[in-house]
Amino acid sequence: MRVYNFSAGPSMLPLEVIEEAGKNIADYNGSGMSVMEMSHRSKWYDAINTEALDLVRELMNLPDDYHVIMVQGGASTQFEAIPLNLLKTGKADYIVTGNFAKKAYKEAQKYGDIRLVASSEDKKFTYIPKTAREDFRQDASYVHITENNTIFGLKYNTLPDTGDVPLVADLSSCIMSEVIDPKKYSLIYAGAQKNLAPAGVTLVIVKEDMLGGELPICPTMLKYRTQIDANSLYNTPPCWSIYMMMLNLRHLKKLGGVKVMEQINREKAKMLYDFIDESDFYNNFVEKESRSLMNVPFVSPSDELNAKFVKEAEQAGLVSLKGHKLVGGMRASIYNAMPVEGVKALIEFMKKFELENK
Ligand SMILES: *Cc1c(COP(=O)(O)O)cnc(C)c1O
């Protein structure tokens, strides 16, 4: 039996996508081989690679001067790849709105003059700090933000105004969950295991004018130009993850693309937040205008009840609802693949649990 899986990552994939992969698992397109076995230089894999890259470009409506590459190492490796590739002026500004943002800020410090412009750590990352254009150094190579904070459940609803300083954003937990204007960003990166694919592949979308200023110590494998020139085939890619991403993006396109997905995601998030707000049993601590569409942390009146909730929810087929260890309580990650019915089932369970434990 399939459960409703609220894991923050790796997370649910659409059942249709998993079944499609299953149908072809031992013999892909008459090749007599699984995608897991074939050469990444084969004509079959080449078609998968090209279609995956083209679908990212199409679904995100990327202008021609943006490159798309697929790399390994997760979003965490990008915390270092970004300064190594982009620190042309030796300076960069960071905004810290959660744990991953803090890690990105920390790693970057090895490579140049990195400034913390704003942080919401004073209030346990429950809000997006306000910034003005003057707060950023106009000679900074870029400003780094984490668009959706996976652990604490908050997101940017309005991007910071950085003036002429390029914006770099970690979209690991919100990529393709809502329509964005790619022209507002100079670099977007995302580990695929939340909204796009199984773990193993990371997307980097970078504007041409950001390149050319790599630090001399930048490893060949982390240099964006290496994979851009090789069409993401410089070395052996995570073929299976990329294949699954391709199938998932085909599925997203068939549904109507990111615009349709955004409507569904807004509907799911609204249902859950409305229920939490109307209840005097459950609570969410994030300021309303910065609530995440993807990760919804909440608590019941006590730690004991939280533990009981997680356990009983699991028995009811609602799994991985335990909050991150930094936050406690519960967290429902409701990424693209979580159906509306899954959120409805969660709310029904929450009602029942409240009645039984009030
Ligand atoms: C999950 C996550 C990461 C870490 O991704 P890895 O691929 O595990 O390195 C980084 N940033 C955000 C916003 C995330 O949600």
Side-chain angles (χ1 to χ4, degrees):
M1 187 198 83
R2 295 271 296 171
V3 294
Y4 289 121
N5 171 12
F6 294 89
S7 168
S11 21
M12 275 183 95
L13 284 166
L15 183 58
E16 297 92 318
V17 170
I18 293 173
E19 285 179 339
E20 170 74 18
K23 266 193 291 185
N24 299 299
I25 195 143
D27 179 5
Y28 178 71
N29 267 5
S31 65
M33 294 176 273
S34 171
V35 174
M36 288 183 271
E37 305 169 300
M38 62 178 51
S39 164
H40 61 293
R41 308 285 175 203
S42 65
K43 66 176 188 209
W44 296 283
Y45 186 73
D46 196 58
I48 293 169
N49 188 67
T50 302
E51 188 173 344
L53 290 168
D54 287 352
L55 280 166
V56 171
R57 190 169 280 288
E58 183 184 342
L59 287 162
M60 294 184 70
N61 202 13
L62 300 177
D64 289 343
D65 58 338
Y66 285 69
H67 301 284
V68 183
I69 55 173
M70 300 180 291
V71 297
Q72 301 194 53
S76 303
T77 301
Q78 293 307 310
F79 297 165
E80 306 206 50
I82 286 163
L84 282 162
N85 278 275
L86 306 186
L87 265 184
K88 281 183 196 166
T89 65
K91 295 182 187 178
D93 288 354
Y94 278 66
I95 303 178
V96 170
T97 51
N99 208 44
F100 289 118
K102 202 169 153 182
K103 284 182 169 171
Y105 167 59
K106 192 166 154 251
E107 296 300 338
Q109 282 168 21
K110 294 180 211 161
Y111 304 108
D113 169 7
I114 308 298
R115 197 169 74 160
L116 178 65
V117 171
S119 165
S120 52
E121 195 167 14
D122 58 339
K123 289 188 186 155
K124 289 195 174 156
F125 301 123
T126 50
Y127 71 104
I128 298 288
K130 301 257 178 306
T131 52
R133 193 183 281 208
E134 309 76 69
D135 297 338
F136 303 102
R137 295 177 291 185
Q138 288 305 302
D139 60 345
S141 299
Y142 62 88
V143 172
H144 180 282
I145 62 164
T146 305
E147 182 133 332
N148 180 75
N149 174 341
T150 323
I151 295 176
F152 297 82
L154 66 152
K155 75 183 278 270
Y156 276 90
N157 280 308
T158 314
L159 292 175
D161 176 5
T162 61
D164 292 331
V165 187
L167 186 66
V168 167
D170 179 353
L171 266 67
S172 292
S173 51
C174 59
I175 190 154
M176 297 197 210
S177 65
E178 60 181 308
V179 176
I180 59 163
D181 177 2
K183 293 192 288 297
K184 292 190 172 150
Y185 305 81
S186 291
L187 186 145
I188 290 169
Y189 66 106
Q193 68 273 21
K194 282 140 191 172
N195 244 347
L196 301 178
V201 57
T202 302
L203 271 186
V204 179
I205 297 162
V206 58
K207 202 173 168 191
E208 169 67 25
D209 66 6
M210 295 297 280
L211 302 168
E214 299 85 2
L215 301 187
I217 57 162
C218 182
T220 304
M221 275 296 291
L222 294 189
K223 198 168 165 177
Y224 298 140
R225 186 56 80 185
T226 304
Q227 292 291 11
I228 292 168
D229 289 348
N231 206 26
S232 296
L233 287 165
Y234 174 75
N235 70 321
T236 317
C239 302
W240 180 258
S241 299
I242 290 170
Y243 168 61
M244 290 299 291
M245 181 171 87
M246 184 275 277
L247 291 182
N248 193 28
L249 296 181
R250 263 190 199 165
H251 176 76
L252 178 57
K253 184 176 166 183
K254 211 170 74 189
L255 272 180
V258 179
K259 205 170 154 190
V260 171
M261 188 48 74
E262 173 173 350
Q263 286 163 3
I264 300 169
N265 286 333
R266 289 198 181 280
E267 183 193 342
K268 288 186 299 189
K270 184 174 181 333
M271 268 195 309
L272 189 48
Y273 285 120
D274 282 353
F275 173 74
I276 293 170
D277 289 343
E278 281 159 22
S279 146
D280 49 18
F281 187 81
Y282 300 105
N283 241 316
N284 166 283
F285 298 115
V286 177
E287 67 172 4
K288 284 196 178 154
E289 62 268 32
S290 306
R291 284 171 163 179
S292 169
L293 285 182
M294 298 281 100
N295 312 96
V296 183
F298 61 94
V299 292
S300 74
S302 72
D303 287 346
E304 292 69 39
L305 283 174
N306 291 339
K308 190 168 179 231
F309 182 101
V310 171
K311 196 168 152 229
E312 290 181 7
E314 188 155 339
Q315 286 156 0
L318 308 166
V319 312
S320 289
L321 280 160
K322 192 169 191 283
H324 191 277
K325 60 183 186 297
L326 290 172
V327 188
M330 281 74 76
R331 170 177 52 171
S333 293
I334 50 174
Y335 296 119
N336 285 4
M338 174 60 67
V340 175
E341 298 73 49
V343 177
K344 285 186 177 156
L346 172 62
I347 293 171
E348 285 314 307
F349 176 82
M350 289 168 79
K351 282 183 190 161
K352 182 171 154 280
F353 186 84
E354 177 176 345
L355 277 176
E356 288 168 3
N357 293 283
K358 226 173 175 165

